[in-house]
Protein backbone atom coordinates (compact mmCIF):
# COMPACT_ATOMS: atom_id res chain seq x y z
CA UNK A 1 0.00 0.00 0.00
CA UNK A 2 2.87 2.40 0.80
CA UNK A 3 4.45 1.69 -2.61
CA UNK A 4 1.23 2.55 -4.45
CA UNK A 5 0.92 5.76 -2.42
CA UNK A 6 4.50 6.82 -3.30
CA UNK A 7 3.99 5.96 -6.98
CA UNK A 8 0.84 8.13 -7.07
CA UNK A 9 2.60 11.00 -5.29
CA UNK A 10 5.55 10.70 -7.70
CA UNK A 11 3.25 10.70 -10.73
CA UNK A 12 1.36 13.74 -9.43
CA UNK A 13 4.64 15.59 -8.80
CA UNK A 14 5.89 14.70 -12.28
CA UNK A 15 2.62 15.91 -13.84
CA UNK A 16 2.91 19.18 -11.93
CA UNK A 17 6.54 19.69 -13.00
CA UNK A 18 5.67 18.97 -16.66
CA UNK A 19 2.68 21.34 -16.54
CA UNK A 20 4.78 24.14 -15.01
CA UNK A 21 7.59 23.55 -17.53
CA UNK A 22 5.08 23.75 -20.39
CA UNK A 23 3.63 27.01 -19.04
CA UNK A 24 7.12 28.49 -18.60
CA UNK A 25 8.09 27.47 -22.16
CA UNK A 26 4.84 28.88 -23.57
CA UNK A 27 5.35 32.18 -21.71
CA UNK A 28 8.93 32.58 -22.92
CA UNK A 29 8.02 31.65 -26.50
CA UNK A 30 5.20 34.22 -26.56
CA UNK A 31 7.55 36.82 -25.06
CA UNK A 32 9.91 36.45 -28.06
CA UNK A 33 7.07 36.58 -30.62
CA UNK A 34 4.10 38.39 -29.06
CA UNK A 35 0.58 37.86 -30.30
CA UNK A 36 -0.91 40.25 -32.82
CA UNK A 37 -4.21 40.60 -34.61
CA UNK A 38 -5.78 42.40 -37.53
CA UNK A 39 -9.49 43.05 -37.94
CA UNK A 40 -11.59 44.55 -40.70
CA UNK A 41 -15.29 45.29 -40.11
CA UNK A 42 -17.01 47.34 -42.77
CA UNK A 43 -20.35 46.82 -44.51
CA UNK A 44 -20.54 43.07 -45.27
CA UNK A 45 -16.92 42.37 -44.24
CA UNK A 46 -15.97 40.95 -40.86
CA UNK A 47 -12.47 39.45 -41.09
CA UNK A 48 -10.00 38.72 -38.30
CA UNK A 49 -6.43 37.41 -38.27
CA UNK A 50 -4.61 36.18 -35.12
CA UNK A 51 -0.88 35.57 -35.39
CA UNK A 52 2.43 35.73 -33.53
CA UNK A 53 4.92 38.47 -34.46
CA UNK A 54 8.56 37.37 -34.70
CA UNK A 55 11.32 39.95 -35.20
CA UNK A 56 14.26 40.11 -37.61
CA UNK A 57 16.94 40.65 -34.89
CA UNK A 58 19.74 41.04 -37.47
CA UNK A 59 18.95 37.76 -39.23
CA UNK A 60 18.29 37.14 -42.92
CA UNK A 61 14.68 35.98 -42.94
CA UNK A 62 13.47 35.05 -46.40
CA UNK A 63 15.66 32.57 -48.21
CA UNK A 64 17.44 31.54 -44.98
CA UNK A 65 15.46 31.41 -41.70
CA UNK A 66 12.28 31.01 -43.78
CA UNK A 67 13.45 29.03 -46.84
CA UNK A 68 12.12 29.85 -50.27
CA UNK A 69 9.65 27.42 -51.85
CA UNK A 70 8.77 25.73 -48.53
CA UNK A 71 5.57 26.05 -46.50
CA UNK A 72 5.83 28.62 -43.70
CA UNK A 73 3.39 28.95 -40.80
CA UNK A 74 3.25 32.70 -41.51
CA UNK A 75 4.32 33.85 -38.09
CA UNK A 76 5.54 32.03 -35.02
CA UNK A 77 4.11 29.70 -32.37
CA UNK A 78 0.57 28.54 -33.23
CA UNK A 79 -0.50 28.52 -36.87
CA UNK A 80 -1.89 31.90 -37.93
CA UNK A 81 -5.71 31.92 -37.82
CA UNK A 82 -7.90 33.70 -40.36
CA UNK A 83 -11.67 33.99 -39.93
CA UNK A 84 -14.38 35.57 -42.05
CA UNK A 85 -18.12 35.82 -41.45
CA UNK A 86 -18.84 36.18 -45.19
CA UNK A 87 -17.60 34.46 -48.33
CA UNK A 88 -14.59 36.22 -49.88
CA UNK A 89 -13.37 36.21 -53.47
CA UNK A 90 -9.60 35.79 -53.57
CA UNK A 91 -7.74 35.41 -56.85
CA UNK A 92 -10.97 34.62 -58.68
CA UNK A 93 -11.86 31.81 -56.24
CA UNK A 94 -14.33 31.75 -53.36
CA UNK A 95 -13.21 31.31 -49.76
CA UNK A 96 -16.36 30.27 -47.85
CA UNK A 97 -17.16 32.00 -44.57
CA UNK A 98 -15.38 30.18 -41.76
CA UNK A 99 -12.22 29.79 -39.71
CA UNK A 100 -8.92 28.78 -41.30
CA UNK A 101 -5.19 28.60 -40.75
CA UNK A 102 -3.11 30.79 -43.03
CA UNK A 103 0.07 29.41 -44.61
CA UNK A 104 2.45 30.84 -47.17
CA UNK A 105 5.13 29.55 -49.50
CA UNK A 106 7.54 32.48 -49.94
CA UNK A 107 9.55 32.79 -53.12
CA UNK A 108 12.01 35.39 -54.34
CA UNK A 109 9.38 36.94 -56.66
CA UNK A 110 6.04 35.24 -55.92
CA UNK A 111 4.35 33.85 -52.84
CA UNK A 112 1.60 31.29 -52.54
CA UNK A 113 -0.98 32.04 -49.86
CA UNK A 114 -2.95 29.06 -48.56
CA UNK A 115 -6.12 28.87 -46.45
CA UNK A 116 -6.47 25.51 -44.68
CA UNK A 117 -9.50 24.28 -42.72
CA UNK A 118 -7.45 22.69 -39.91
CA UNK A 119 -7.47 25.06 -36.93
CA UNK A 120 -6.17 25.08 -33.37
CA UNK A 121 -2.78 23.59 -34.28
CA UNK A 122 0.81 24.52 -33.54
CA UNK A 123 2.62 25.99 -36.53
CA UNK A 124 5.41 23.41 -36.76
CA UNK A 125 5.88 19.80 -35.69
CA UNK A 126 8.73 18.40 -33.57
CA UNK A 127 11.05 18.45 -36.63
CA UNK A 128 10.35 22.20 -37.07
CA UNK A 129 8.51 21.47 -40.34
CA UNK A 130 5.25 23.29 -41.09
CA UNK A 131 2.35 21.42 -39.46
CA UNK A 132 -0.01 21.94 -42.45
CA UNK A 133 -1.88 18.98 -43.90
CA UNK A 134 -2.48 19.80 -47.60
CA UNK A 135 -5.60 17.62 -47.77
CA UNK A 136 -7.39 20.37 -45.79
CA UNK A 137 -6.36 23.21 -48.14
CA UNK A 138 -9.44 25.19 -49.14
CA UNK A 139 -7.94 27.92 -51.33
CA UNK A 140 -4.53 28.81 -52.72
CA UNK A 141 -3.60 31.99 -54.56
CA UNK A 142 -0.35 33.40 -55.90
CA UNK A 143 0.72 37.01 -55.37
CA UNK A 144 3.81 39.01 -56.26
CA UNK A 145 6.33 40.02 -53.61
CA UNK A 146 7.26 43.68 -53.36
CA UNK A 147 10.55 44.83 -51.83
CA UNK A 148 10.31 47.50 -49.15
CA UNK A 149 12.89 50.33 -49.01
CA UNK A 150 13.43 49.80 -45.26
CA UNK A 151 13.67 46.73 -43.05
CA UNK A 152 10.43 45.91 -41.26
CA UNK A 153 11.69 44.56 -37.94
CA UNK A 154 8.56 42.80 -36.68
CA UNK A 155 6.14 40.74 -38.78
CA UNK A 156 3.02 42.76 -39.51
CA UNK A 157 -0.25 41.56 -41.02
CA UNK A 158 -2.87 44.20 -41.77
CA UNK A 159 -6.32 44.32 -43.34
CA UNK A 160 -7.05 47.56 -45.19
CA UNK A 161 -9.80 48.87 -47.41
CA UNK A 162 -8.88 48.68 -51.10
CA UNK A 163 -11.47 50.08 -53.50
CA UNK A 164 -14.74 48.25 -52.87
CA UNK A 165 -12.97 45.33 -51.22
CA UNK A 166 -10.18 44.78 -48.77
CA UNK A 167 -6.55 43.81 -48.93
CA UNK A 168 -4.46 41.66 -46.61
CA UNK A 169 -0.93 43.05 -46.35
CA UNK A 170 1.88 40.98 -44.91
CA UNK A 171 5.22 42.73 -44.32
CA UNK A 172 8.46 41.53 -42.73
CA UNK A 173 12.16 42.11 -43.29
CA UNK A 174 12.18 43.64 -46.80
CA UNK A 175 9.13 41.78 -48.19
CA UNK A 176 5.58 43.01 -48.69
CA UNK A 177 2.78 40.95 -50.17
CA UNK A 178 -0.73 42.17 -50.91
CA UNK A 179 -3.71 39.84 -51.22
CA UNK A 180 -6.80 41.55 -52.69
CA UNK A 181 -10.17 40.25 -51.47
CA UNK A 182 -13.77 41.13 -52.23
Amino acid sequence: MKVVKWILISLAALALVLYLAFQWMKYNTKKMSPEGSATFKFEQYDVKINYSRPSVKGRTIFGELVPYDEVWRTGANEATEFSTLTDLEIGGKTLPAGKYTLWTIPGPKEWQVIWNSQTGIWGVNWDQVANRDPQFDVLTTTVYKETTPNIIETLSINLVQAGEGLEMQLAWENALIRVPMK
Side-chain angles (χ1 to χ4, degrees):
M1 194 63 150
K2 270 188 166 181
V3 172
V4 172
K5 179 180 174 182
W6 282 109
I7 289 174
L8 291 175
I9 290 171
S10 297
L11 288 174
L14 178 61
L16 178 63
V17 166
L18 289 174
Y19 174 77
L20 292 174
F22 176 75
Q23 293 302 318
W24 179 83
M25 187 175 77
K26 185 175 167 184
Y27 169 76
N28 282 306
T29 300
K30 296 279 186 174
K31 186 169 61 173
M32 300 301 284
S33 298
E35 293 177 345
S37 66
T39 57
F40 187 87
K41 291 182 182 186
F42 182 72
E43 294 180 354
Q44 76 271 22
Y45 299 109
D46 191 345
V47 179
K48 184 167 187 174
I49 301 172
N50 291 315
Y51 65 107
S52 290
R53 306 183 67 214
S55 295
V56 172
K57 298 180 187 169
R59 304 173 289 184
T60 299
I61 303 301
F62 297 111
E64 288 189 21
L65 181 66
V66 176
Y68 286 135
D69 303 319
E70 292 184 22
V71 176
W72 175 44
R73 62 181 153 182
T74 316
N77 307 324
E78 298 93 349
T80 294
E81 291 196 340
F82 181 103
S83 63
T84 176
L85 295 181
T86 57
D87 293 355
L88 296 173
E89 183 184 319
I90 302 170
K93 304 170 196 163
T94 300
L95 179 69
K99 191 172 184 182
Y100 303 94
T101 48
L102 185 68
W103 307 85
T104 50
I105 301 176
K109 295 181 181 178
E110 294 182 335
W111 284 36
Q112 289 183 18
V113 183
I114 304 161
W115 286 262
N116 184 289
S117 62
Q118 258 189 324
T119 60
I121 59 175
W122 198 253
V124 292
N125 61 25
W126 289 106
D127 298 327
Q128 297 302 302
V129 174
N131 206 16
R132 167 185 152 256
D133 186 341
Q135 75 176 347
F136 296 102
D137 289 353
V138 175
L139 189 142
T140 301
T141 193
T142 302
V143 294
Y144 289 101
K145 180 198 99 164
E146 298 175 38
T147 302
T148 61
N150 299 313
I151 295 294
I152 297 160
E153 178 64 27
T154 304
L155 173 66
S156 175
I157 302 176
N158 294 300
L159 295 163
V160 297
Q161 187 166 357
E164 294 182 23
L166 71 141
E167 182 177 84
M168 178 177 71
Q169 298 175 350
L170 185 150
W172 195 29
E173 190 189 32
N174 65 346
L176 169 65
I177 65 161
R178 301 170 190 267
V179 183
M181 304 175 189
K182 53 185 173 175

